[in-house]
Amino acid sequence: MTAAVACCFVFGCFAGRLALRCADRFVRDETLFAAGMPPAGFLAGLKFELALSARSVRSTWADVADVPPRERALWQAMRPWHHLPLVGRWLPGNPYRCGSFGVELRRWGVELLTAGLFAAVAYVDLSGFVTPVDAALRAAVPADAAAHWCLLVGHLVLVWGLVVATLTDLETMTIPDGSTVPTGLFAVAFATLSGRLIPVPVWFADASFSALVTGGPPAAPGAAVPAWVASSPHVHGFVASVVGLFVGGGIVWVVRVLGGWALGREAMGFGDVILMAMIGAFLGWQAVAAVFFLAPACACVGLVLTKTLRPSSEFPYGPSLAAGAVLLILAWPYVWPSVERACLLGPLLLVVAVTMTALLAVLLLLMRLLKRLAGLDDDVWYDDPPGRANVAPASVSDGWGRGEDWPGVAAASGRRGLRAWRGE
C-alpha cells in the first residue's frame, strides 16, 4: 500500500498542474450575461440553466485545450521536461521560468495540496476504512480489493474536480460547469460499469422500526437491505449514483429557493447546486447529506480567514462544500457510524427532512424580519469602490439585454456580474 500511496502523491502533482491550467483557462466572462435573464417559471428556468450549463461546458474545455496565439511561441519553445510539476518551471530553457513569488507560491501550493489529498485518499480507501459498520450492509455491497481500487479511482476524480471548483470559486466567485458536469457524468458512468463506486446500499433501514412505521409484521432488529442490491451491483451502482446526484443538488436547490423567498434576494448560486450534485453522484445520497451538515463548520473557519485576510461581504460557499466532502472521505470511520444510525430510521427520514426544511424557512424569515427591525437594508450587499456612494442605479442596460435591476449576488454570478450591473 505504501507504493500505491507514493504513486498517488506523484500523480497528484501532475493532477494539480492540470487543475491550475483548467482554473486559469476556464472562461471567466460567463455566458450568462449574453444569454439574458432566466425566464419565469420552474421548468422554463431549469431548462434555461441546463442549456446554459451545456454551453458553458463546451466553451470551458475548448478554452483549456486551445493555446492562445500570444502563447504559442512560448509553448513551442518548451521541452517535455518543462511540463513537470514543482520543478519544471525552474529547469533551464523554460520560457515561463521567470515568475513572481506569489505566482510560484500559488502553483507550488496547489500542486502540493492536490498531491497530499491524493495520497491521503489513497491511504484511507486502500486501508478499507470506507466500508459500512453493520455486517448486513457489508454483505450487500462487496468490499474486496477490486472495490477498494474502484473507490480510489472515483474519489481521486472527485477530489480533482473539487480542487478546480475551489480555485475558480475563490478567485472569481464562480463555479464553472466545466469542472462539475463532466466529473458528475463520469461518476454515474463509472458507478454503473464498476458497480462498486458507492460503498453503501442505496436504501437500508432497521427492519423492526420499518415494520412498526409501515404497519407490517414484526421483524427482528437489524439493518434490512433490499435483495436486488447484492444481486444486481451494476443496477445498484447506477441507481445509487443518480439518487445521490439528485439528492445532493436538491438539498442546495431547496436552500437556494427558500433563501431567495425569505431573504428577498438570491442566497446561493446555481454553481453550488451542480457542485453538490457532483459530490452526491460520487458518494451517494446518505454521504452527501452528511456533507451538507459538515460544510457549515468548514464555512465558519473559512469565514474567519476571509474576514481576516480580505475583508469583504462576499463569501464563496463552494470551497466549504468541497472541504466537507474531503473531510467526510478522510474521516469516514468517525463520521459514518452516526450517519448510519440515522439512516436506520428508514421512512421516518422523510418526515425529518420535511420538518428541518420548514424550520429552515422559518429561521430565514425571522432573520429577514430582524434585519428590517434593525434598519438594515437587504439591498446593500456589495462592497463600495473607493469614492463611490453605496447607491445602486435604478436600471442598467448592458450585458443583460434589457434595463432591469440585477437580482443576483456576487456569489452566484461572479465579480464580473457585479461590475456589469454597476455599469462599470
Side-chain angles (χ1 to χ4, degrees):
M1 187 181 70
T2 304
V5 172
C7 290
C8 286
F9 182 87
V10 175
F11 179 68
C13 292
F14 287 92
R17 186 174 181 84
L18 177 61
L20 276 171
R21 177 178 174 84
C22 292
D24 291 337
R25 291 184 179 273
F26 275 170
V27 177
R28 304 296 179 88
D29 300 339
E30 296 174 272
T31 54
L32 176 62
F33 301 105
M37 289 287 290
F42 174 78
L43 293 179
L46 182 60
K47 181 179 179 181
F48 174 86
E49 296 283 5
L50 293 177
L52 184 63
S53 177
R55 187 169 64 178
S56 176
V57 171
R58 291 194 301 268
S59 61
T60 50
W61 281 102
D63 197 43
V64 170
D66 185 36
V67 178
R70 64 180 181 276
E71 297 185 15
R72 289 175 183 171
L74 298 177
W75 273 77
Q76 292 174 358
M78 295 180 68
R79 297 294 182 263
W81 53 85
H82 292 154
H83 295 281
L84 293 174
L86 299 179
V87 298
R89 288 179 65 89
W90 300 96
L91 296 178
N94 193 335
Y96 288 94
R97 187 178 182 183
C98 298
S100 64
F101 175 77
V103 172
E104 295 302 325
L105 182 63
R106 171 179 175 268
R107 185 178 300 276
W108 273 57
V110 172
E111 292 175 357
L112 288 176
L113 174 63
T114 307
L117 290 177
F118 274 35
V121 169
Y123 176 76
V124 171
D125 289 346
L126 298 181
S127 297
F129 293 149
V130 189
T131 54
V133 179
D134 189 271
L137 304 184
R138 291 198 301 270
V141 180
D144 53 7
H148 294 324
W149 283 103
C150 290
L151 198 64
L152 175 61
V153 171
H155 285 173
L156 292 183
V157 176
L158 171 62
V159 169
W160 182 85
L162 294 176
V163 169
V164 178
T166 299
L167 286 175
T168 53
D169 203 10
L170 289 175
E171 296 178 0
T172 66
M173 300 292 290
T174 61
I175 301 178
D177 295 336
S179 66
T180 52
V181 173
T183 47
L185 295 177
F186 169 84
V188 176
F190 187 70
T192 304
L193 295 176
S194 66
R196 302 184 177 190
L197 176 60
I198 310 297
V200 181
V202 68
W203 179 256
F204 61 90
D206 189 294
S208 60
F209 186 80
S210 296
L212 180 63
V213 173
T214 59
V225 183
W228 65 270
V229 171
S231 61
S232 304
H234 299 285
V235 175
H236 172 259
F238 173 79
V239 173
S241 183
V242 171
V243 171
L245 185 148
F246 279 101
V247 171
I251 291 175
V252 182
W253 181 274
V254 170
V255 174
R256 184 175 186 250
V257 172
L258 290 178
W261 168 75
L263 301 178
R265 56 183 176 87
E266 198 172 55
M268 299 182 72
F270 195 74
D272 297 323
V273 177
I274 302 180
L275 178 65
M276 276 292 279
M278 179 196 75
I279 296 173
F282 280 96
L283 302 181
W285 71 268
Q286 301 100 329
V288 79
V291 169
F292 181 75
F293 289 101
L294 287 174
C298 300
C300 293
V301 178
L303 185 61
V304 172
L305 295 176
T306 301
K307 294 299 182 182
T308 303
L309 301 178
R310 188 184 61 183
S312 173
S313 61
E314 302 172 1
F315 179 73
Y317 197 64
S320 302
L321 297 174
V326 174
L327 182 62
L328 177 68
I329 295 174
L330 299 182
W332 182 274
Y334 309 100
V335 177
W336 175 248
S338 300
V339 179
E340 184 177 299
R341 285 192 292 269
C343 292
L344 289 174
L345 294 175
L348 192 60
L349 279 175
L350 181 61
V351 179
V352 175
V354 173
T355 303
M356 295 182 65
T357 303
L359 291 176
L360 176 62
V362 172
L363 288 176
L364 289 174
L365 187 58
L366 289 177
M367 186 173 67
R368 184 179 183 184
L369 293 176
L370 289 176
K371 289 179 66 176
R372 287 187 175 181
L373 292 176
L376 299 177
D377 189 1
D378 286 339
D379 295 331
V380 182
W381 51 266
Y382 52 82
D383 294 329
D384 291 328
R388 184 182 179 97
N390 191 1
V391 178
S395 63
V396 176
S397 181
D398 43 28
W400 292 103
R402 50 180 167 173
E404 291 186 7
D405 290 343
W406 182 44
V409 295
S413 298
R415 293 192 180 92
R416 178 176 171 82
L418 174 60
R419 294 195 300 268
W421 183 71
R422 288 180 176 178
E424 299 175 353

